[in-house]
Amino acid sequence: MRSIVPCSFHRSALICFSTLLLLTFCLSYQATAQTQADTLPAKAKRTRDWKLSDYLQIHGFVDTQYDHEWQRENDGTMTQRDVIMLRRARFEFSGKFHPMLDFRLQADMAFTPRLLDAWLRVKFCKYAHLWIGQIKTPYTMDNFLTPLQLEFVELSQSVALLAGFTDVSGIPEYANGLEIGAMLSGTLVDYKCGDERIPILNYYAGIFGGAGINIRKDNLSKDFSARLDFYPFVKNFRLSGSVYIGNYPLYKDRNAPRNRWSAGAEYLGKHWTARAEYLEGVTGIAEDDPMTVDSVYKVRTRGLYAFVGYWFYMGWGGKSSVVQRIRPLFRYDYCVNDRLEPSTTSHRYSFDLEWWPEEHVRVHLDYTLRRRADHRDFGHTLAAKVTVRF
């Protein structure tokens, strides 16, 4: 029988020799690098310094919210809801590997933990940025805004129903306006004003899976979404239009349409802020009996929202560097679904007070009057939310 000792001995010797050689190389390289660094001028040394924060940032925020709702029904009974909840607990990892390459990962740990934003972006030039991963669809102006940027405690009804938050279809995988896919964005036209370039026409266009977030589901008919933003030479003012064209798997061998469009305008000044947008969409909904001949019918959803607000800035003291911001806001919100019974025509009037006592803390007080066609009386919602970010 052939002895395996010599083979094991030679293998061990080879491993030891390789390790020693690698260690010698590393030590000599470190010594050489240190010697070269010592001979560099001070300015050159600074350019070789790097920090982890230059490539990776960790952020997050926590929303704690209180809601009280009451509604008088047509039969005279009063229904109420009173709840305090942890609305959001989000953690975000973002950064860049290169000036042309950045990324973002965001997860929400409230309720059921789930992954939200997860994308990689390649900035080829100002005309073309390529996004790949789980990203916000470019439908409506509100969808790209984070919860820290949204002006009210709740989204408008039409945005929630059509942009993939509480979708008309009722599919739970449509959440937070996110889809898996690829998107191109960029500035098509701009002009130079002093030392900066001011955009005139920006675009976003992408192909998406159309099945929702964090899920692998067959959908042979991919979805398309696009948005154009036009800045008509008025500072802080833009006009915007967007579309979403697609289908979603309703039955094993049948898809239903999810087609939407929107048009709106926005002004974001130092003090005055305002936005108005009209949204409309057609969504296929299943009949109660899927075996009927016409097992899918179409629901037309349309809505309009408009708000206006004004920022007040003030310091904590005469010489304080901490500036607090307060903004009262008013919003009108209208939405109707055709072919849903009972009729869901709804009007809402929201009065909101947003307060930033400092840059890491945000307080919302919101009161909403609600009117539905199937109720004779107004409903009321009182909400308070405190956000702490880090």
Side-chain angles (χ1 to χ4, degrees), residues 121-136:
R121 178 172 56 177
V122 184
K123 303 177 183 179
F124 295 107
C125 61
K126 68 177 182 179
Y127 304 107
H129 293 179
L130 175 62
W131 309 59
I132 301 174
Q134 188 159 278
I135 54 183
K136 291 278 191 177

Side-chain angles (χ1 to χ4, degrees), residues 208-209 217-223 247-249 255:
F208 302 94
K217 184 179 290 187
D218 185 18
N219 186 9
L220 296 179
S221 178
K222 303 309 178 195
D223 295 358
N247 294 278
Y248 72 100
N255 285 349

Side-chain angles (χ1 to χ4, degrees), residues 1-39:
M1 180 179 295
R2 184 178 177 181
S3 174
I4 61 172
V5 175
C7 182
S8 302
F9 173 78
H10 291 309
R11 187 181 297 115
S12 301
L14 182 60
I15 292 174
C16 293
F17 178 76
S18 301
T19 304
L20 182 61
L21 184 63
L22 179 61
L23 181 61
T24 304
F25 173 77
C26 292
L27 292 175
S28 62
Y29 176 80
Q30 182 179 4
T32 304
Q34 183 64 41
T35 302
Q36 292 177 350
D38 292 339
T39 60

